[in-house]
Amino acid sequence: MKEYDVIIVGGGAAGFFAAINIAEQNSSLRVLILERGKEGLTKVKVSGGGRCNVTHAEFIPQELVQNYPRGEKELLGPFHKFMTGDTIDWFEKRGVELKIEDDGRMFPISNSSQTIIDCFLSEADKHQVEVLYNHSVKSISNKNETFQIETTQGVFSSKKVLIATGSNPKIWKLLEGFGHNISQPVPSLFTFNIKDERINDIPGVVAKDVEVKVLETDLWSEGPLLITHWGLSAPSILKLSAFGALELAKRDYKFQIEINFIKRSFNDCLSELKELKQNLAKKAVFKSTQFQLPKRLWHKLVLASNMNEETRWADLNKSQLERLAGQLTQAIFDADGKSTFKEEFVTAGGINLKEVNFKTFESKFVKNLYFAGEVLNIDAVTGGFNFQNAWTGAYIAAQNISN
């Protein structure tokens, strides 16, 4: 049996970040990462389309936490200790410069996730962190304040353990053996599958700023909306999927949404349409796109309002005007199923947050057992927030472990 001072289970973002910080803060500790795959950092590799969305340019803790459907309250304290500015600083000190894009997402200047992976691997090497791949954990026990971890390739022991395995049901099962409760995992970031005449052959169309509500719930969001081959996506939808993860799972992903494409009330829209009827009398409604909507979307909504391509503004009757106002401000779509958003396999679920001390990220039940990243019941909307949770938890756990 090989002995270490600290064993980290999971060679992903949180695992590597914790290991490097532990070894750097206390060079006398023998630190081991156990990773079940043949390589680590796989999520880092595919994140942000292979560019790695490291964090988000949000520098006020109270505002940063609002991007976490689960974990908002718990992360406020930790974000005062280590958040976006610290992340930027940490990477810059190690030769990785980050840049901010228009939507606030932050990437390495190289535009390649390999830059982040290389940084982690060389830091781990420099600080003599041992990494063992193809080591899947079979059991974890704790006798006389020493943890024993049995893997597919041998047994290891240490005084301190940090679990950073993300959403791994096998590890959750082992942690239940220590008395921890697991909030059942459900998908969090996903797009909506919708088959509808109004959107079925205009993939790639983006409505820049819409409001979306899930009917019969309090769920709503706003932002850009993207029409895809299978339905709807983009931030307005992804936000709903994250904040509505539990509710939408309960409904088996069959629900109705209402979209306000122009963010005006039905009545305001109707009066504007009446003015257009006067001002554009001789023009065809189909050809005179309004409200800064994409042309192809306007065409679809006009046809869905009982008009054809030749219908002129002057000829619109009351019911056609009302119908168009309805399509623009209260369009109802039936969602039936979900699709994974790019490679972002994010789940809501994990260790019950009441069972963790967020000053240290240590288990309240087992001394010297720590957690970081998505193994906890914390998840975020898309945009670099899930990684920021990983860096913050890993850094704070590392500080406590290395003391």
Side-chain angles (χ1 to χ4, degrees), residues 109-154:
I109 277 178
S110 66
N111 268 333
S112 167
S113 54
Q114 197 57 46
T115 306
I116 304 297
I117 294 170
D118 292 346
C119 167
F120 282 168
L121 294 177
S122 81
E123 287 292 315
D125 195 41
K126 176 172 141 190
H127 296 291
Q128 296 174 320
V129 171
E130 199 178 328
V131 187
L132 294 177
Y133 298 103
N134 297 309
H135 278 63
S136 191
V137 170
K138 291 162 75 176
S139 71
I140 305 173
S141 58
N142 185 14
K143 289 190 191 87
N144 309 325
E145 299 197 355
T146 300
F147 290 95
Q148 212 171 310
I149 298 180
E150 186 196 349
T151 74
T152 44
Q153 299 202 49

Short mmCIF file of all heavy atoms in Angstrom, two decimals, residues 109-154:
data_model
loop_
_atom_site.label_atom_id
_atom_site.label_comp_id
_atom_site.label_asym_id
_atom_site.label_seq_id
_atom_site.Cartn_x
_atom_site.Cartn_y
_atom_site.Cartn_z
N ILE A 109 -5.83 33.88 -24.28
CA ILE A 109 -5.56 34.66 -25.50
C ILE A 109 -5.25 33.75 -26.68
O ILE A 109 -5.55 34.06 -27.83
CB ILE A 109 -4.41 35.67 -25.21
CG1 ILE A 109 -5.03 36.89 -24.53
CG2 ILE A 109 -3.65 36.06 -26.47
CD1 ILE A 109 -4.07 37.96 -24.14
N SER A 110 -4.70 32.57 -26.38
CA SER A 110 -4.35 31.62 -27.44
C SER A 110 -5.58 31.03 -28.12
O SER A 110 -5.48 30.39 -29.16
CB SER A 110 -3.55 30.47 -26.85
OG SER A 110 -4.40 29.73 -25.96
N ASN A 111 -6.78 31.19 -27.48
CA ASN A 111 -8.02 30.58 -27.99
C ASN A 111 -7.95 29.06 -28.03
O ASN A 111 -8.65 28.42 -28.81
CB ASN A 111 -8.34 31.08 -29.41
CG ASN A 111 -9.24 32.30 -29.35
OD1 ASN A 111 -9.99 32.46 -28.39
ND2 ASN A 111 -9.16 33.16 -30.34
N SER A 112 -7.10 28.49 -27.18
CA SER A 112 -7.00 27.02 -27.16
C SER A 112 -6.99 26.50 -25.72
O SER A 112 -6.22 26.96 -24.88
CB SER A 112 -5.71 26.59 -27.85
OG SER A 112 -5.48 25.23 -27.58
N SER A 113 -7.85 25.51 -25.47
CA SER A 113 -7.91 24.92 -24.13
C SER A 113 -6.59 24.20 -23.80
O SER A 113 -6.27 23.99 -22.64
CB SER A 113 -9.07 23.93 -24.04
OG SER A 113 -8.98 22.97 -25.06
N GLN A 114 -5.83 23.85 -24.83
CA GLN A 114 -4.54 23.16 -24.60
C GLN A 114 -3.61 24.03 -23.75
O GLN A 114 -2.81 23.52 -22.97
CB GLN A 114 -3.89 22.79 -25.94
CG GLN A 114 -2.80 21.74 -25.83
CD GLN A 114 -3.27 20.43 -25.19
OE1 GLN A 114 -4.32 19.90 -25.53
NE2 GLN A 114 -2.49 19.92 -24.24
N THR A 115 -3.74 25.36 -23.88
CA THR A 115 -2.92 26.29 -23.08
C THR A 115 -3.16 26.06 -21.59
O THR A 115 -2.23 26.06 -20.77
CB THR A 115 -3.30 27.75 -23.43
OG1 THR A 115 -3.18 27.90 -24.84
CG2 THR A 115 -2.41 28.75 -22.74
N ILE A 116 -4.43 25.88 -21.22
CA ILE A 116 -4.79 25.66 -19.81
C ILE A 116 -4.29 24.29 -19.36
O ILE A 116 -3.71 24.14 -18.28
CB ILE A 116 -6.32 25.77 -19.62
CG1 ILE A 116 -6.86 27.13 -20.12
CG2 ILE A 116 -6.70 25.54 -18.16
CD1 ILE A 116 -6.35 28.35 -19.39
N ILE A 117 -4.49 23.29 -20.22
CA ILE A 117 -4.05 21.92 -19.89
C ILE A 117 -2.53 21.89 -19.71
O ILE A 117 -2.02 21.35 -18.72
CB ILE A 117 -4.50 20.92 -20.99
CG1 ILE A 117 -6.03 20.82 -20.99
CG2 ILE A 117 -3.86 19.55 -20.79
CD1 ILE A 117 -6.63 20.05 -22.16
N ASP A 118 -1.80 22.51 -20.64
CA ASP A 118 -0.33 22.54 -20.54
C ASP A 118 0.12 23.24 -19.26
O ASP A 118 1.07 22.81 -18.60
CB ASP A 118 0.28 23.26 -21.76
CG ASP A 118 0.08 22.46 -23.05
OD1 ASP A 118 -0.28 21.26 -22.95
OD2 ASP A 118 0.26 23.04 -24.14
N CYS A 119 -0.56 24.33 -18.92
CA CYS A 119 -0.24 25.06 -17.69
C CYS A 119 -0.40 24.13 -16.48
O CYS A 119 0.50 24.02 -15.65
CB CYS A 119 -1.15 26.28 -17.56
SG CYS A 119 -1.12 27.05 -15.92
N PHE A 120 -1.53 23.43 -16.38
CA PHE A 120 -1.78 22.53 -15.24
C PHE A 120 -0.76 21.40 -15.20
O PHE A 120 -0.24 21.08 -14.13
CB PHE A 120 -3.20 21.96 -15.32
CG PHE A 120 -4.28 22.92 -14.88
CD1 PHE A 120 -5.62 22.64 -15.13
CD2 PHE A 120 -3.97 24.09 -14.21
CE1 PHE A 120 -6.63 23.52 -14.72
CE2 PHE A 120 -4.97 24.97 -13.80
CZ PHE A 120 -6.29 24.68 -14.05
N LEU A 121 -0.49 20.80 -16.35
CA LEU A 121 0.43 19.66 -16.35
C LEU A 121 1.84 20.09 -15.96
O LEU A 121 2.53 19.40 -15.21
CB LEU A 121 0.43 18.96 -17.73
CG LEU A 121 -0.89 18.27 -18.12
CD1 LEU A 121 -0.80 17.69 -19.52
CD2 LEU A 121 -1.28 17.18 -17.11
N SER A 122 2.26 21.27 -16.45
CA SER A 122 3.63 21.68 -16.11
C SER A 122 3.73 22.13 -14.65
O SER A 122 4.72 21.87 -13.98
CB SER A 122 4.15 22.74 -17.08
OG SER A 122 3.67 24.00 -16.72
N GLU A 123 2.66 22.76 -14.12
CA GLU A 123 2.66 23.15 -12.70
C GLU A 123 2.65 21.92 -11.79
O GLU A 123 3.34 21.88 -10.77
CB GLU A 123 1.44 24.03 -12.38
CG GLU A 123 1.52 25.44 -12.94
CD GLU A 123 2.59 26.31 -12.28
OE1 GLU A 123 2.69 26.29 -11.04
OE2 GLU A 123 3.33 26.99 -13.02
N ALA A 124 1.87 20.92 -12.19
CA ALA A 124 1.80 19.69 -11.38
C ALA A 124 3.18 19.02 -11.36
O ALA A 124 3.65 18.54 -10.32
CB ALA A 124 0.75 18.74 -11.96
N ASP A 125 3.82 19.02 -12.51
CA ASP A 125 5.15 18.43 -12.65
C ASP A 125 6.17 19.19 -11.80
O ASP A 125 6.94 18.62 -11.02
CB ASP A 125 5.52 18.48 -14.13
CG ASP A 125 6.69 17.58 -14.43
OD1 ASP A 125 6.72 16.47 -13.88
OD2 ASP A 125 7.59 18.01 -15.20
N LYS A 126 6.11 20.52 -11.92
CA LYS A 126 7.04 21.39 -11.21
C LYS A 126 6.95 21.20 -9.69
O LYS A 126 7.94 21.22 -8.97
CB LYS A 126 6.72 22.83 -11.60
CG LYS A 126 7.51 23.91 -10.89
CD LYS A 126 7.21 25.26 -11.54
CE LYS A 126 7.11 26.35 -10.50
NZ LYS A 126 6.59 27.61 -11.07
N HIS A 127 5.71 21.02 -9.21
CA HIS A 127 5.51 20.88 -7.75
C HIS A 127 5.42 19.42 -7.31
O HIS A 127 4.97 19.12 -6.21
CB HIS A 127 4.28 21.67 -7.31
CG HIS A 127 4.41 23.14 -7.53
ND1 HIS A 127 5.27 23.92 -6.82
CD2 HIS A 127 3.81 23.98 -8.43
CE1 HIS A 127 5.20 25.19 -7.25
NE2 HIS A 127 4.32 25.23 -8.23
N GLN A 128 5.86 18.53 -8.19
CA GLN A 128 5.97 17.09 -7.87
C GLN A 128 4.66 16.46 -7.41
O GLN A 128 4.63 15.64 -6.48
CB GLN A 128 7.07 16.87 -6.84
CG GLN A 128 8.42 17.27 -7.43
CD GLN A 128 9.53 17.21 -6.42
OE1 GLN A 128 9.36 17.58 -5.26
NE2 GLN A 128 10.70 16.74 -6.86
N VAL A 129 3.57 16.86 -8.08
CA VAL A 129 2.28 16.19 -7.83
C VAL A 129 2.31 14.91 -8.67
O VAL A 129 2.61 14.94 -9.86
CB VAL A 129 1.11 17.08 -8.31
CG1 VAL A 129 -0.21 16.30 -8.27
CG2 VAL A 129 1.02 18.34 -7.46
N GLU A 130 2.02 13.78 -8.03
CA GLU A 130 1.98 12.53 -8.78
C GLU A 130 0.57 12.34 -9.36
O GLU A 130 -0.42 12.58 -8.66
CB GLU A 130 2.33 11.36 -7.84
CG GLU A 130 2.76 10.12 -8.60
CD GLU A 130 3.15 8.98 -7.67
OE1 GLU A 130 3.67 9.25 -6.56
OE2 GLU A 130 2.92 7.83 -8.05
N VAL A 131 0.49 11.95 -10.62
CA VAL A 131 -0.82 11.72 -11.25
C VAL A 131 -0.86 10.30 -11.79
O VAL A 131 0.01 9.89 -12.56
CB VAL A 131 -1.07 12.71 -12.43
CG1 VAL A 131 -2.50 12.56 -12.94
CG2 VAL A 131 -0.81 14.15 -12.00
N LEU A 132 -1.86 9.52 -11.34
CA LEU A 132 -2.00 8.15 -11.83
C LEU A 132 -3.30 8.04 -12.63
O LEU A 132 -4.39 8.27 -12.10
CB LEU A 132 -2.02 7.16 -10.66
CG LEU A 132 -0.72 7.04 -9.85
CD1 LEU A 132 -0.90 6.10 -8.67
CD2 LEU A 132 0.45 6.56 -10.73
N TYR A 133 -3.16 7.67 -13.91
CA TYR A 133 -4.34 7.51 -14.78
C TYR A 133 -4.81 6.06 -14.76
O TYR A 133 -4.11 5.17 -14.26
CB TYR A 133 -3.99 7.96 -16.20
CG TYR A 133 -3.61 9.43 -16.28
CD1 TYR A 133 -2.27 9.82 -16.40
CD2 TYR A 133 -4.59 10.43 -16.18
CE1 TYR A 133 -1.91 11.17 -16.44
CE2 TYR A 133 -4.23 11.77 -16.21
CZ TYR A 133 -2.90 12.14 -16.34
OH TYR A 133 -2.56 13.47 -16.37
N ASN A 134 -6.00 5.83 -15.32
CA ASN A 134 -6.60 4.48 -15.34
C ASN A 134 -6.71 3.86 -13.94
O ASN A 134 -6.62 2.65 -13.77
CB ASN A 134 -5.77 3.52 -16.23
CG ASN A 134 -5.76 4.00 -17.68
OD1 ASN A 134 -6.81 4.26 -18.26
ND2 ASN A 134 -4.57 4.14 -18.25
N HIS A 135 -6.90 4.73 -12.94
CA HIS A 135 -7.10 4.26 -11.57
C HIS A 135 -8.53 4.60 -11.13
O HIS A 135 -8.79 5.69 -10.66
CB HIS A 135 -6.09 4.90 -10.61
CG HIS A 135 -4.76 4.23 -10.59
ND1 HIS A 135 -3.94 4.17 -11.70
CD2 HIS A 135 -4.09 3.56 -9.59
CE1 HIS A 135 -2.82 3.51 -11.39
NE2 HIS A 135 -2.89 3.14 -10.12
N SER A 136 -9.42 3.65 -11.33
CA SER A 136 -10.82 3.87 -10.96
C SER A 136 -11.01 3.47 -9.50
O SER A 136 -10.57 2.39 -9.09
CB SER A 136 -11.71 3.03 -11.88
OG SER A 136 -13.04 3.41 -11.71
N VAL A 137 -11.62 4.35 -8.70
CA VAL A 137 -11.78 4.07 -7.26
C VAL A 137 -12.91 3.08 -7.01
O VAL A 137 -14.02 3.24 -7.51
CB VAL A 137 -12.04 5.40 -6.50
CG1 VAL A 137 -12.46 5.12 -5.06
CG2 VAL A 137 -10.78 6.27 -6.54
N LYS A 138 -12.60 2.03 -6.24
CA LYS A 138 -13.61 1.00 -5.92
C LYS A 138 -14.19 1.19 -4.53
O LYS A 138 -15.37 0.96 -4.29
CB LYS A 138 -12.98 -0.39 -6.05
CG LYS A 138 -12.66 -0.77 -7.50
CD LYS A 138 -11.68 -1.92 -7.60
CE LYS A 138 -12.36 -3.25 -7.25
NZ LYS A 138 -11.40 -4.39 -7.45
N SER A 139 -13.34 1.63 -3.59
CA SER A 139 -13.86 1.85 -2.24
C SER A 139 -13.01 2.89 -1.50
O SER A 139 -11.84 3.09 -1.84
CB SER A 139 -13.89 0.55 -1.43
OG SER A 139 -12.57 0.17 -1.12
N ILE A 140 -13.65 3.55 -0.52
CA ILE A 140 -12.94 4.51 0.34
C ILE A 140 -13.33 4.18 1.78
O ILE A 140 -14.52 4.12 2.09
CB ILE A 140 -13.34 5.97 0.05
CG1 ILE A 140 -13.15 6.31 -1.44
CG2 ILE A 140 -12.55 6.95 0.91
CD1 ILE A 140 -13.68 7.69 -1.85
N SER A 141 -12.33 3.93 2.63
CA SER A 141 -12.66 3.70 4.04
C SER A 141 -11.81 4.63 4.90
O SER A 141 -10.83 5.21 4.43
CB SER A 141 -12.43 2.24 4.42
OG SER A 141 -11.08 1.91 4.15
N ASN A 142 -12.21 4.77 6.14
CA ASN A 142 -11.52 5.69 7.04
C ASN A 142 -11.35 5.03 8.41
O ASN A 142 -12.33 4.86 9.13
CB ASN A 142 -12.35 6.97 7.15
CG ASN A 142 -11.64 8.03 7.98
OD1 ASN A 142 -10.45 7.93 8.26
ND2 ASN A 142 -12.37 9.04 8.40
N LYS A 143 -10.11 4.60 8.70
CA LYS A 143 -9.85 3.96 10.01
C LYS A 143 -8.74 4.72 10.72
O LYS A 143 -7.71 5.03 10.11
CB LYS A 143 -9.39 2.50 9.81
CG LYS A 143 -10.50 1.57 9.34
CD LYS A 143 -10.07 0.10 9.40
CE LYS A 143 -11.06 -0.81 8.68
NZ LYS A 143 -10.78 -0.93 7.23
N ASN A 144 -8.94 4.98 12.01
CA ASN A 144 -7.95 5.70 12.83
C ASN A 144 -7.44 6.96 12.12
O ASN A 144 -6.23 7.18 12.03
CB ASN A 144 -6.75 4.81 13.17
CG ASN A 144 -7.20 3.47 13.75
OD1 ASN A 144 -8.21 3.43 14.46
ND2 ASN A 144 -6.48 2.41 13.43
N GLU A 145 -8.38 7.74 11.59
CA GLU A 145 -8.05 9.01 10.93
C GLU A 145 -7.13 8.84 9.72
O GLU A 145 -6.40 9.76 9.33
CB GLU A 145 -7.46 10.01 11.94
CG GLU A 145 -8.45 10.34 13.03
CD GLU A 145 -8.11 11.59 13.82
OE1 GLU A 145 -7.03 12.17 13.59
OE2 GLU A 145 -8.93 11.99 14.66
N THR A 146 -7.14 7.66 9.12
CA THR A 146 -6.41 7.45 7.87
C THR A 146 -7.37 6.90 6.82
O THR A 146 -8.12 5.96 7.10
CB THR A 146 -5.24 6.45 8.06
OG1 THR A 146 -4.35 7.00 9.04
CG2 THR A 146 -4.46 6.25 6.77
N PHE A 147 -7.35 7.52 5.66
CA PHE A 147 -8.22 7.06 4.57
C PHE A 147 -7.49 5.98 3.78
O PHE A 147 -6.29 6.10 3.52
CB PHE A 147 -8.55 8.22 3.61
CG PHE A 147 -9.46 9.24 4.21
CD1 PHE A 147 -8.93 10.39 4.81
CD2 PHE A 147 -10.84 9.08 4.19
CE1 PHE A 147 -9.76 11.34 5.37
CE2 PHE A 147 -11.68 10.04 4.74
CZ PHE A 147 -11.14 11.18 5.34
N GLN A 148 -8.26 4.96 3.41
CA GLN A 148 -7.70 3.92 2.55
C GLN A 148 -8.53 3.91 1.27
O GLN A 148 -9.76 3.80 1.33
CB GLN A 148 -7.80 2.58 3.26
CG GLN A 148 -6.66 1.67 2.90
CD GLN A 148 -6.66 0.43 3.78
OE1 GLN A 148 -6.73 0.53 4.99
NE2 GLN A 148 -6.60 -0.74 3.17
N ILE A 149 -7.87 4.06 0.14
CA ILE A 149 -8.59 4.10 -1.13
C ILE A 149 -8.16 2.94 -2.00
O ILE A 149 -6.98 2.80 -2.35
CB ILE A 149 -8.33 5.45 -1.86
CG1 ILE A 149 -8.85 6.60 -0.99
CG2 ILE A 149 -9.00 5.47 -3.23
CD1 ILE A 149 -8.66 7.97 -1.59
N GLU A 150 -9.13 2.08 -2.31
CA GLU A 150 -8.84 0.93 -3.16
C GLU A 150 -9.22 1.28 -4.59
O GLU A 150 -10.33 1.74 -4.87
CB GLU A 150 -9.65 -0.28 -2.68
CG GLU A 150 -9.28 -1.56 -3.42
CD GLU A 150 -10.34 -2.66 -3.24
OE1 GLU A 150 -11.24 -2.52 -2.39
OE2 GLU A 150 -10.25 -3.65 -3.99
N THR A 151 -8.27 1.09 -5.52
CA THR A 151 -8.54 1.37 -6.93
C THR A 151 -8.41 0.07 -7.74
O THR A 151 -8.02 -0.96 -7.19
CB THR A 151 -7.54 2.39 -7.52
OG1 THR A 151 -6.27 1.73 -7.70
CG2 THR A 151 -7.35 3.59 -6.61
N THR A 152 -8.70 0.17 -9.02
CA THR A 152 -8.56 -0.99 -9.90
C THR A 152 -7.10 -1.42 -10.04
O THR A 152 -6.81 -2.49 -10.55
CB THR A 152 -9.12 -0.65 -11.30
OG1 THR A 152 -8.64 0.66 -11.66
CG2 THR A 152 -10.63 -0.64 -11.32
N GLN A 153 -6.16 -0.53 -9.57
CA GLN A 153 -4.74 -0.89 -9.73
C GLN A 153 -3.95 -0.73 -8.45
O GLN A 153 -2.80 -0.32 -8.47
CB GLN A 153 -4.10 0.01 -10.80
CG GLN A 153 -4.73 -0.13 -12.17
CD GLN A 153 -3.78 0.33 -13.25
OE1 GLN A 153 -2.61 -0.07 -13.26
NE2 GLN A 153 -4.25 1.16 -14.16
N GLY A 154 -4.59 -1.03 -7.31
CA GLY A 154 -3.83 -0.96 -6.06
C GLY A 154 -4.52 -0.13 -5.00
O GLY A 154 -5.53 0.52 -5.25
#
